[in-house]
Amino acid sequence: MAKRVGEMSGGKFNIRVFAGGEIVPGLQVMDSVANATVELGHTAPYYYVGKDPTWAFGTAVPFGLNFRQYNAWWIFGGGEQVFNEFTQGLGVVSLLAGNTGAQMGGWFRKEIKSTADLAGVKMRIGGWGGTVFAKLGIVPTQIAGGEIYQALERGTIDAAEWVGPYDDEKLGFHKVAKFYYYPGWWEGGPALHTQVNKKAWDSLPKEYQAMLTAASYEANAWMMAKYDAGNAAALKRLIAAGVQLRGYPREVMDAAFKAANALYAETAAKNAAFKKVHDSYMAFRNDSASWLRVTENTFDDFVAAAIRR
Ligand code: CA
């Protein structure tokens, strides 16, 4: 039985609003919005890459945009238009509505000092991160969040990625795997979207479309602020509990970057929608990364180092 948890109504229209997971399974939000089982959903669009890899650009791809870059691409870089051209063709209007910021690179029971150390390591990692990591020797497995701890504890898997300190601490991974790697190069700034059934969207007055877009942007800013505050505090507690922070070796990062680019070229060659969004997204990334490294990154790096001296 559908549980109505909210409603926007006025004048000639009435749009039903349901909380994710209340009436449709978490991985069926997009289909349910497209076919109007629900008119509005909140989801990570990359869950639907099995249907079309173009969905990945709604959330994250390996070595893609960070939070700041995603917002800039979406709002001023043509991202909103090019991604909506793809999703609206499938009956879904996409609004920007959340981000976790750069995720961590996962928990390992043994230290990774080179690409050779990745061979045969069974890791809980899904999506394209897993596809790319497999080219480097990792054996990717998909396990639901609630089952990761036990799998790590029993040694069914050797490593697992989830989100970042704030979420990972709650699941207790530090009690069963000591080495905590960064960065999560497959999720440098994963976005979430509000998805609206196209017909329902078109039936809304312009003011209500603007309100829903603004509310989604508010969620976008609020979620990032909450993670930025929560992650800092959680990381301190994890380090105090004995967690060993490690950066992925440069050799591993370089090999993953190369494998990711090969995957994009291969996919773009057979999928025109993917190529169109990819080209817009990556051109924006390249210009933006060249700008941010000049002053934003040097400022951040200086302050982070100076406070330790
Ligand atoms: Ca993740």
Side-chain angles (χ1 to χ4, degrees), residues 167-189:
D167 288 321
D168 294 4
E169 183 191 35
K170 289 182 185 166
L171 295 183
F173 300 146
H174 56 290
K175 294 173 198 155
V176 285
K178 191 165 79 168
F179 299 104
Y180 196 19
Y181 274 82
Y182 63 86
W185 45 261
W186 49 94
E187 284 169 316

Side-chain angles (χ1 to χ4, degrees), residues 10 25 28 34-35 53 68 70 86 105 114 141 174 209 212 219 226 229 234 237 246 249 299 304:
Q28 288 171 30
N35 65 27
R68 292 267 304 271
Y70 197 96
F86 164 68
S114 68
T141 62
H174 56 290
Q209 291 181 350
L212 191 52
K226 184 160 189 193
R237 289 191 297 271
R246 293 285 186 278
F299 173 77

Side-chain angles (χ1 to χ4, degrees), residues 46 103-104 124 161-163 186-187:
Y46 71 176
Q103 295 198 1
M104 285 293 285
R124 183 273 177 198
E161 74 87 38
W162 182 234
V163 181
W186 49 94
E187 284 169 316

Side-chain angles (χ1 to χ4, degrees), residues 67-195:
F67 172 68
R68 292 267 304 271
Q69 294 169 328
Y70 197 96
N71 290 341
W73 174 65
W74 189 265
I75 300 170
F76 292 108
E80 180 178 15
Q81 289 77 13
V82 78
F83 193 71
N84 267 280
E85 186 182 312
F86 164 68
T87 71
Q88 292 193 22
L90 301 166
V92 174
V93 173
S94 301
L95 309 175
L96 187 55
N99 203 299
T100 66
Q103 295 198 1
M104 285 293 285
W107 299 86
F108 287 74
R109 285 154 60 96
K110 66 162 196 180
E111 206 169 349
I112 302 297
K113 292 183 174 164
S114 68
T115 311
D117 290 339
L118 297 172
V121 169
K122 279 178 276 174
M123 182 175 188
R124 183 273 177 198
I125 177 171
W128 278 23
T131 307
V132 170
F133 237 162
K135 294 185 191 233
L136 275 62
I138 285 266
V139 181
T141 62
Q142 301 255 28
I143 299 177
E147 290 159 28
I148 300 173
Y149 179 92
Q150 208 170 44
L152 262 180
E153 186 184 35
R154 289 185 179 163
T156 313
I157 55 174
D158 311 301
E161 74 87 38
W162 182 234
V163 181
Y166 179 77
D167 288 321
D168 294 4
E169 183 191 35
K170 289 182 185 166
L171 295 183
F173 300 146
H174 56 290
K175 294 173 198 155
V176 285
K178 191 165 79 168
F179 299 104
Y180 196 19
Y181 274 82
Y182 63 86
W185 45 261
W186 49 94
E187 284 169 316
L192 299 169
H193 285 181
T194 298
Q195 296 183 332

